[in-house]
């Protein structure tokens, strides 16, 4: 059974999806088509609390159980992303090297694009080798906002 919770935030409507006591997705400004039950489970409430604390500049790390659905490679990339400290960035190449495939920078980009749990799995912290912001499934405006927000609050 999947449960969802919607929350209004300064970056838009966030929908949190839980399945089997794990967060499987966070969607921003998306309409959920599949059947889910709206319910305030303990996990959804805690996830909402942690996301709000992050967006208020009061939280830098998350500690709810995550279970993103993807290939073995994607999961390795998403695990590596969670090691990028708050307020810092890494390049696609650095993430590719970290997952043991230094020539897979483009594949890292695709894994980032398919990240089902943005913010908590911080794909916004990955930039191009030239230091420029490139690609973000939620749009460059949100990527820029999140990076600037973290930099401002990383004191």
């Amino acid at each position: 059974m999947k449960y969802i919770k919607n929350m209004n935030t300064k970056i838009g409507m966030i929908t949190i999806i839980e399945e089997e006591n794990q967060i499987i997705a966070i969607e921003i400004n998306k309409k959920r088509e599949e059947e889910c039950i709206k319910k305030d489970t303990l996990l959804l409430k805690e996830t909402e609390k942690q996301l709000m604390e992050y967006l208020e500049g009061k939280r830098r790390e998350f500690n709810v159980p995550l279970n993103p659905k993807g290939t073995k490679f994607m999961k390795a990339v998403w695990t590596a992303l969670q090691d990028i400290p708050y307020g810092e960035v890494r390049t696609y190449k650095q993430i590719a090297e970290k997952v043991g495939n230094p020539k897979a920078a483009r594949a890292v980009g695709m894994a980032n694009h398919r990240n089902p749990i943005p913010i908590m799995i911080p794909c916004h912290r990955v930039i191009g080798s030239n230091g420029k912001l490139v690609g973000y499934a939620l749009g460059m405006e949100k990527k820029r906002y999140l990076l600037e927000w973290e930099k401002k609050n990383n004191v």
Side-chain angles (χ1 to χ4, degrees):
M1 189 66 59
K2 291 181 184 174
Y3 300 106
I4 65 169
K5 180 169 186 57
N6 295 313
M7 55 188 284
N8 287 310
T9 73
K10 58 185 167 189
I11 63 169
M13 173 66 72
I14 294 180
T15 302
I16 309 165
I17 300 131
E18 171 189 343
E19 183 178 49
E20 297 179 7
N21 298 311
Q22 298 172 317
I23 300 303
I24 62 164
I26 290 178
E27 298 174 348
I28 301 175
N29 295 329
K30 266 189 181 176
K31 185 174 180 180
R32 173 57 62 171
E33 297 295 329
E34 69 181 75
E35 298 250 342
C36 295
I37 297 172
K38 286 187 179 181
K39 184 177 178 182
D40 271 339
T41 67
L42 291 175
L43 178 58
L44 289 173
K45 285 180 187 178
E46 180 60 25
T47 303
E48 176 184 38
K49 176 182 169 272
Q50 290 188 25
L51 283 168
M52 289 306 290
E53 289 170 351
Y54 168 84
L55 293 169
E56 293 167 355
K58 298 175 184 173
R59 175 175 288 274
R60 295 176 180 208
E61 296 178 5
F62 301 98
N63 59 9
V64 295
L66 306 179
N67 186 15
K69 309 285 188 220
T71 66
K72 185 178 178 182
F73 178 79
M74 288 174 172
K75 288 181 179 189
V77 168
W78 299 333
T79 297
L81 297 179
Q82 292 176 75
D83 291 336
I84 304 172
Y86 181 94
E88 294 185 21
V89 294
R90 299 292 183 271
T91 66
Y92 292 95
K93 182 179 181 185
Q94 286 173 317
I95 299 300
E97 290 168 348
K98 182 162 181 146
V99 299
N101 198 339
K103 296 186 182 203
R106 286 182 190 256
V108 166
M110 288 307 298
N112 273 12
H113 184 74
R114 292 194 171 116
N115 173 12
I117 310 176
I119 300 174
M120 291 187 141
I121 298 177
C123 53
H124 62 277
R125 295 181 188 153
V126 184
I127 61 172
S129 293
N130 59 3
K132 292 189 178 181
L133 301 186
V134 292
Y136 190 55
L138 302 175
M140 294 305 291
E141 185 178 306
K142 282 198 177 42
K143 182 173 188 161
R144 186 174 293 106
Y145 174 84
L146 291 169
L147 289 173
E148 288 174 2
W149 177 252
E150 288 185 5
K151 186 175 181 182
K152 175 184 167 188
N153 289 293
N154 197 20
V155 185

